C-alpha cells in the first residue's frame, strides 16, 4: 500500500474550511445523523459527470438524498445471478432497507457515456467493442435503445434523444426488480425520470400523459 | 412508462431557487462546461450514504470532481469478462478518457453496507447470504478482509476498522487494473485512501509511512 | 448573546432561492402587506408538529391566515388572571383586533402531545406528572377529556379519539372567551373543528348535526 | 357544540387541490412520516402574523421544521410553577423529546404585538394595561426591553429596533431553560436570532461578533 498518497493540499485546505464553517454550524445535526442513522426521503441515480451535481440543483442537505452515480445513470435489468451488481445493490438498499419514497433517475446533456454508445452503434468505436472495455460493456445496457434514435440525422439532437432514452431504460429496468415494482404498486415509492441541460441550466421530467419529457 | 411521476413540488421549488441564484451567477461557466466538455482534476469513489457529501466536504464546484458512489465505496478486482461492471467502467472512463490526476476512495463511519458484511461474516444475516441479495453479493468483495478485524471485540471499533479496510481493499483492487497501475507508476495519477467520521466531522487519510489512517 | 449562531448555510441557500423567485414574483403584494397591514380572513390553531402544514393543505398565501401553533392545538379556558397566556393572547388579537371571519382548530393523527396525555392518564409517564414538566402541565388542559376515551381498548383508536377530543375541548374553551362567543353569536365569526390524517392525507370536520367528525 | 360550522367552501376546494397534487405526489413520504414519526432538524419560533411564512422563506417541507407561532415570537423566562405554559411546553418538546439541532427565533417588520408594547410603554394604550388584556399581559415579557429603544425618536425605527429586541429577549430567555443551555453547551443545539423585512423580503441574523443584526 506504499503507493497511497496523502490528501492533496488544496483539498486539505477546503476540508479545513468546511470543518470551521459548515460542520461547526451543523454539528448537532451531524451528531444526530451519526447516532440515529440516516433516513433519506429520496434516492437519486445520476451520472458521475463532474458537471452534474444533484446536491446543488436540489439544495440537497445532509441526510436527504441517497445518491448513486455511475456512467450514464444506467440501471441494468434484474439479474439475481449471484454476481457483483453494484447498481442493483444500491437500489435494493435504498428501497428495501431505507424505504425511500422517491427514486429519481437524472440524465444530462453532453453525456460522454451516451456518446460512446452512439459511436459503438455506428461502428466508429472499435475500442469500445472490445471485451475488455468496461465502458463499452456497461453501455451495452443502453444499446437496444439506439434503434429508437438511429434515424435522427442531427448529431446533437440524436445524442440528446438517446440521453433521454437512457433515463427511460433505467426506469423500465427498475420496474423489473420485484421489490421496486411492488413498492410502486402499493404507493410507497414513486419513480421519476429527469434530464438536465448543463449549459442552459434547464430541467425536464418525463410526463407520462404527454409521453415525452417536458420542462419543469 | 405510465408509472413515472412528475417531479415532487418541494424539489421543483428548490430547483427554481437554484436556477435563479447559483445557475444565474455562474451561467458563463456552465455554458463553457457544456461546449468545451468536462476536465475534472480528481475522481472520488464514495458511498451512496445520504450523510456523506464529498461536494460539501471538499467544496466541489461544477466540473471539478468525477464522482462515483456505490454501497460501501467498493472497487471490485479487475475482471474483463465481458459482463456489466458499473464501477470498473467509471474507473476506466476517469483514468483512460478523462485522465484525472487524483483518485480518492472515501470511506465513512456508520456504514450500513460494512455493518451488513460483519453481520454476514458472523452468521447473523442469512437474508444477505441469499443468492438474490444484491447487497450481500456486493459486500462479498469486502468479505476476505473480515478476518483482519475478526478479533476486535468492541462492535463499534470493529465496524470502524472494517470501514477502513474497505478503503484499502478498493485501493488494492484499483491497482489490479492495468491502466490504473500504469498511470500510478508514470506519476500521472495518485491514489488516496480517506475515511470520514460523520458525527465528529473528522477526516483521515491512509499514511503509507505510518501504515495506518491518520487525521488530516 | 455570544452563544447565537449565524443562519445555517442550507437555510441561507433556500432563503436566497425564495428571494429570487417567490418574493421577486410577488414583491408588489409583499410591499402592500407591509404598508397597509395584514387583513387575514381566518385564524388557524394547529399543532407544532413538523408533519402538519396548514399553509400546504390550504394553499395559504401571504396574508391569508393568522396561524398559532402549539402542542396539541389546545386552547385553555378563559382565565384573565394577569399571567402570561400566550394562546389566549393570539385568540384575542385575531378576534378583537384583526376581526377574522373563521377560526379553525386543526388536530392531527399521531400527535405526540395527545399520546403523552394518554400515557399520563394511564400512569405510564411519571416524568410528565412532575411539576417542572411544561409538556405535562400543558396537557393537563386535555386531561378531563380522557375519561371519554378511557374505555377504548385499541391503542391507535384511543389516541385518534382523544386527538379529536382535543379539537372539541379547544372549541369549547374558545366559547368561554366573551369576545369569541359574542362574535360567534352576532355571526361575524365562525368556529370550525378539523382533524387531519397525516399518512392518508385525509381531512375531517366536526359536523354538529351528525355529532361527530366526518370526511370533507 | 352546535355552534361549530363545516369547513368553508373555499378551503374545501383548496384542500381537494392539495390532495390531488401535493399529497398524491408525496404519499409514500406522508405514510412514512405517519408510521415512523417525525424527526425535524430544526424548531422555529415565529409570529402568528399572516405575512410571515417560515415554510415559504425556507422552503420547509413535510417533517423538516417543528414550528411554534405566537404573538411577537416571544419566549417567557423559565418558570416551572405548575401553570400552563404553552410556549415553554413547545420548547421542552422540541429540545428534550425531538432533540432538534437548530432553534431559530424569527422576528419581523410591522409587528402588531411589538407596536402594542410600545403604545403601552408610552401610555397610549390603557386597554392593553388592563389585567384582562391577554395581549397586554403577553407583551409584558418584552416590556423590560423598551428602555433600550426609548430614546429613538423615529417611530418606524423604534418599532424596528424593538422587534429585534424581542428576538434577543427570547434568545436570552431560552438560555434560562436548563435543558436548552445544556444542549447549547454540549454542541447538540444551536440558537439563531433572525428578523425579516416583509415589504423588502430581507432577512437578517444576529451576529454575535458584530453585536447586531446583519443581512444574510
Amino acid at each position: 500500500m506504499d503507493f497511497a498518497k496523502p490528501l492533496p493540499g488544496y483539498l486539505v485546505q477546503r476540508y479545513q474550511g468546511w470543518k470551521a464553517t459548515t460542520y461547526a454550524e451543523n454539528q448537532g445535526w451531524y451528531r444526530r445523523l451519526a447516532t440515529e442513522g440516516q433516513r433519506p426521503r429520496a434516492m437519486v441515480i445520476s451520472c458521475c459527470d463532474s458537471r452534474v451535481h444533484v446536491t446543488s440543483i436540489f439544495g440537497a442537505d445532509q441526510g436527504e438524498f441517497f445518491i448513486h452515480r455511475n456512467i450514464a445513470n444506467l440501471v441494468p435489468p434484474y439479474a439475481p445471478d449471484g454476481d457483483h451488481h453494484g447498481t442493483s445493490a444500491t437500489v435494493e438498499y435504498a428501497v428495501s432497507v431505507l424505504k425511500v419514497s422517491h427514486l429519481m433517475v437524472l440524465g444530462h446533456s453532453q453525456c460522454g457515456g451516451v456518446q460512446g454508445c452512439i459511436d459503438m452503434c455506428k461502428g466508429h468505436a472499435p475500442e469500445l467493442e472490445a471485451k475488455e472495455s468496461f465502458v463499452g460493456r456497461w453501455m451495452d445496457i443502453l444499446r437496444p435503445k439506439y434503434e429508437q434514435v438511429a434515424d435522427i440525422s442531427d448529431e446533437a439532437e440524436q445524442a440528446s434523444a438517446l440521453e433521454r432514452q437512457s433515463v427511460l431504460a433505467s426506469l423500465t429496468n427498475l420496474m423489473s426488480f420485484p421489490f421496486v415494482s411492488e413498492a410502486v404498486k402499493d404507493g410507497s415509492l414513486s419513480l421519476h425520470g429527469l434530464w438536465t441541460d448543463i449549459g442552459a441550466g434547464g430541467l425536464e421530467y418525463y410526463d407520462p400523459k404527454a409521453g415525452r419529457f417536458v420542462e419543469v
Side-chain angles (χ1 to χ4, degrees), chain A:
Chain A
M1 203 65 61
D2 57 344
F3 54 82
K5 292 280 188 302
L7 189 63
Y10 82 109
L11 295 181
V12 172
Q13 189 172 354
R14 292 201 199 167
Y15 162 70
Q16 301 291 11
W18 170 83
K19 186 79 186 282
T21 55
T22 302
Y23 176 75
E25 289 165 10
N26 298 286
Q27 63 172 310
W29 183 237
Y30 280 107
R31 283 191 215 162
R32 277 187 66 192
L33 285 174
T35 55
E36 297 178 11
Q38 62 178 326
R39 198 169 87 172
R41 177 170 176 176
M43 176 185 193
V44 182
I45 297 174
S46 85
C47 187
C48 300
D49 194 298
S50 64
R51 300 165 294 181
V52 179
H53 279 192
V54 70
T55 46
S56 177
I57 292 178
F58 291 138
D61 213 44
Q62 303 82 20
E64 284 197 314
F65 287 77
F66 187 78
I67 303 176
H68 174 52
R69 298 178 67 161
N70 64 29
I71 301 281
N73 37 271
L74 286 172
V75 176
Y78 180 67
D81 53 17
D83 284 345
H84 304 323
H85 289 286
T87 294
S88 302
T90 67
V91 174
E92 180 183 291
Y93 196 81
V95 175
S96 299
V97 178
L98 298 175
K99 300 186 191 307
V100 296
S101 301
H102 307 281
L103 201 170
M104 282 161 279
V105 177
L106 173 64
H108 69 99
S109 64
Q110 285 85 33
C111 182
V114 168
Q115 187 58 53
C117 184
I118 291 176
D119 295 344
M120 273 204 298
C121 293
K122 288 186 174 171
H124 299 163
E127 75 285 5
L128 290 174
E129 300 279 6
K131 188 183 173 192
E132 304 80 37
S133 170
F134 294 113
V135 173
R137 300 297 61 70
W138 181 248
M139 294 312 301
D140 283 345
I141 298 172
L142 182 59
R143 220 159 168 171
K145 291 283 186 176
Y146 175 71
E147 66 181 52
Q148 303 213 21
V149 306
D151 292 342
I152 302 176
S153 54
D154 181 82
E155 291 193 355
E157 205 183 316
Q158 186 182 43
S160 186
L162 192 56
E163 285 156 10
R164 289 173 178 84
Q165 288 295 329
S166 81
V167 174
L168 299 183
S170 292
L171 291 178
T172 300
N173 288 343
L174 278 168
M175 287 296 275
S176 70
F177 289 72
F179 45 83
V180 171
S181 58
E182 279 162 27
V184 168
K185 271 163 204 155
D186 79 12
S188 60
L189 175 69
S190 59
L191 303 185
H192 311 266
L194 302 171
W195 179 85
T196 179
D197 182 318
I198 289 170
L203 184 66
E204 303 181 0
Y205 69 97
Y206 180 77
D207 180 347
K209 281 175 199 147
R212 59 183 176 78
F213 282 80
V214 295
E215 277 282 333
V216 162

